[in-house]
Amino acid sequence: MISRKKRPYRVQDGLRGYLRRHGRLAELPVSYADLTRYDDATPVYDKRGRDTLWQSVLYPPSMRKEIHRDLVRTYANMRVMGNAALMQHLITDRVDVCTYGNTQPFRVRILNTLNENFDYFYVKHADASRLYGLELEDLLSPSRIQYLTDGVTLIEEHIAGIPGDEFIREHLGDSRIEAVRLAKEFVKFNERCFVRLLGDMHSSNFVVNVIPDLDEVMVRLRAIDFDQQSYEGRCNVYMPKYYSQNNAVIFLAMSCMTHESVKQYQEEEHALLRLRARAEHEALGDLLHTMSDDDLAPVENIQRLRQELAHHHRDDRFLRCESMGELVRASLSLLDWE
């Protein structure tokens, strides 16, 4: 589906102004560059002894104490607005780096020494596409997401759940999970991604939350990777149903859903998106105005995508769009939220 590596896009003044107005800028105690100064790394294995493709990094003794302290302070900025008094019992337990990915993010585990509970957060490059993706996720998805930026550094909270590929491999046959409920959630997830033009949602880039619900179990799919927000030029890139990695869920949905059911669930999600967009009318309008003026994709991608969206929706308003931000606005305008 995606054959070429996406190029990063700098955070321009317009987006930085939006982030400042909406409380996403902070003076962080640690930067992405600080975390790259490790001098050794060891593989991280899961509970079954399988290589996770993450590596746990070790810092020189001369800087280890300072980095670990600053990571706890960074976590405090994200969770309790920097109130260090509430963080005295926390320590940095581990820092991992994902070396196989394009952006090589760091994952930090913070441990509560009072009860041995732990939490994660991520330190990444502040790519403009990712920031727009995160903000659209916060405004339009069923779940909020916390993140902060400082210069070229981005920190994100951890999104908990079973990785999609692991869920398909190990949990899809669980008798507690109703096929229809899973199929319904996938249809709604597909619609959310397509309406806001979030691409690359194959099974490694979303998680599944399994939630007990009366006598049944419900599921919810959540995106965890926002690098491909409004970049590619093909319409199908923004629909999870076209990724072969998701085929097991797609075939399951095809076996238990009718065309009428799919249409119903799509309209249900449109109604929810409309409500969320109206509830966040001021922030969403501000974001789309900023995004429309930003450079987020090659011209050829914009031209191809506007043609494909105009054909898909049978709506010529897409043909007048000159940027990815304008295409997102046109797509959301179909919900009649303004």
Side-chain angles (χ1 to χ4, degrees):
M1 290 287 286
I2 297 176
S3 59
R4 296 183 180 180
K5 178 180 176 181
K6 172 192 168 293
R7 56 160 283 199
Y9 285 84
R10 290 181 54 212
V11 179
Q12 303 293 345
D13 291 343
L15 177 55
R16 201 171 300 282
Y18 172 91
L19 296 170
R20 182 180 297 107
R21 289 191 297 276
H22 295 273
R24 298 297 195 179
L25 287 187
E27 292 186 11
L28 299 175
V30 71
S31 69
Y32 180 90
D34 292 333
L35 298 190
T36 64
R37 297 172 184 161
Y38 59 90
D39 60 2
D40 198 7
T42 58
V44 176
Y45 298 95
D46 64 16
K47 293 181 178 179
R48 299 186 181 183
R50 297 174 299 193
D51 192 345
T52 63
L53 303 181
W54 287 79
Q55 293 186 321
S56 182
V57 302
L58 300 174
Y59 293 96
S62 60
M63 60 187 301
R64 185 179 306 155
K65 183 177 180 181
E66 180 181 359
I67 282 185
H68 284 196
R69 179 199 64 206
D70 288 345
L71 286 170
V72 171
R73 292 171 58 203
T74 299
Y75 180 77
N77 277 348
M78 183 174 66
R79 290 300 191 198
V80 291
M81 301 180 68
N83 189 342
L86 299 176
M87 297 286 139
Q88 295 177 1
H89 53 282
L90 301 184
I91 62 170
T92 300
D93 186 50
R94 199 175 74 205
V95 180
D96 305 328
V97 64
C98 179
T99 57
Y100 74 92
N102 292 334
T103 58
Q104 299 195 357
F106 287 90
R107 180 179 64 195
V108 182
R109 186 162 77 174
I110 299 295
L111 178 69
N112 184 322
T113 58
L114 298 180
N115 56 20
E116 300 299 313
N117 189 32
F118 56 85
D119 193 12
Y120 292 95
F121 73 93
Y122 297 86
V123 183
K124 303 179 179 180
H125 284 291
D127 172 60
S129 303
R130 185 182 299 121
L131 290 172
Y132 281 117
L134 283 164
E135 192 65 16
L136 285 167
E137 180 74 4
D138 187 61
L139 296 175
L140 296 176
S141 81
S143 304
R144 309 304 297 242
I145 185 168
Q146 178 64 352
Y147 69 92
L148 293 171
T149 62
D150 182 7
V152 297
T153 298
L154 163 69
I155 63 167
E156 290 178 31
E157 71 173 349
H158 173 66
I159 299 175
I162 304 170
D165 50 354
E166 179 183 332
F167 178 86
I168 289 172
R169 186 174 61 249
E170 301 181 10
H171 301 275
L172 197 58
D174 191 330
S175 59
R176 297 173 303 165
I177 297 174
E178 287 285 341
V180 173
R181 288 194 173 200
L182 176 59
K184 174 183 178 179
E185 176 57 24
F186 188 82
V187 168
K188 293 165 75 70
F189 179 65
N190 184 83
E191 209 61 22
R192 285 198 298 275
C193 294
F194 183 47
V195 168
R196 45 79 63 96
L197 298 182
L198 175 62
D200 203 23
M201 280 299 109
H202 57 77
S203 59
S204 296
N205 285 341
F206 63 81
V207 296
V208 182
N209 294 145
V210 180
I211 307 165
D213 178 32
L214 298 178
D215 295 329
E216 304 290 343
V217 170
M218 66 171 289
V219 295
R220 173 166 288 169
L221 275 59
R222 291 192 64 184
I224 58 172
D225 191 321
F226 304 95
D227 290 354
Q228 288 283 345
Q229 174 64 51
S230 312
Y231 177 78
E232 294 288 340
R234 288 182 296 163
C235 210
N236 290 356
V237 167
Y238 302 102
M239 301 185 203
K241 67 181 182 180
Y242 286 114
Y243 286 86
S244 60
Q245 297 94 326
N246 303 336
N247 275 351
V249 178
I250 295 164
F251 294 152
L252 179 68
M254 291 172 61
S255 71
C256 64
M257 301 275 278
T258 64
H259 175 75
E260 291 77 15
S261 294
V262 171
K263 184 66 176 175
Q264 173 194 339
Y265 299 143
Q266 288 174 330
E267 290 302 319
E268 284 183 12
E269 191 59 33
H270 290 171
L272 291 171
L273 284 167
R274 185 180 303 113
L275 288 173
R276 296 180 198 123
R278 288 176 176 175
E280 299 289 351
H281 187 276
E282 182 177 350
L284 183 58
D286 192 6
L287 180 70
L288 293 175
H289 176 76
T290 302
M291 192 178 185
S292 295
D293 292 336
D294 221 338
D295 177 23
L296 296 172
V299 173
E300 57 269 24
N301 288 10
I302 299 169
Q303 293 173 342
R304 178 172 180 175
L305 185 58
R306 71 187 180 191
Q307 292 285 343
E308 293 198 8
L309 287 172
H311 175 75
H312 178 88
H313 292 291
R314 296 180 175 84
D315 193 323
D316 288 345
R317 80 183 77 183
F318 291 96
L319 299 178
R320 298 189 290 272
C321 297
E322 299 293 335
S323 68
M324 282 296 182
E326 290 182 5
L327 286 171
V328 174
R329 179 185 284 277
S331 182
L332 289 172
S333 71
L334 299 177
L335 301 175
D336 191 28
W337 66 278
E338 293 184 280

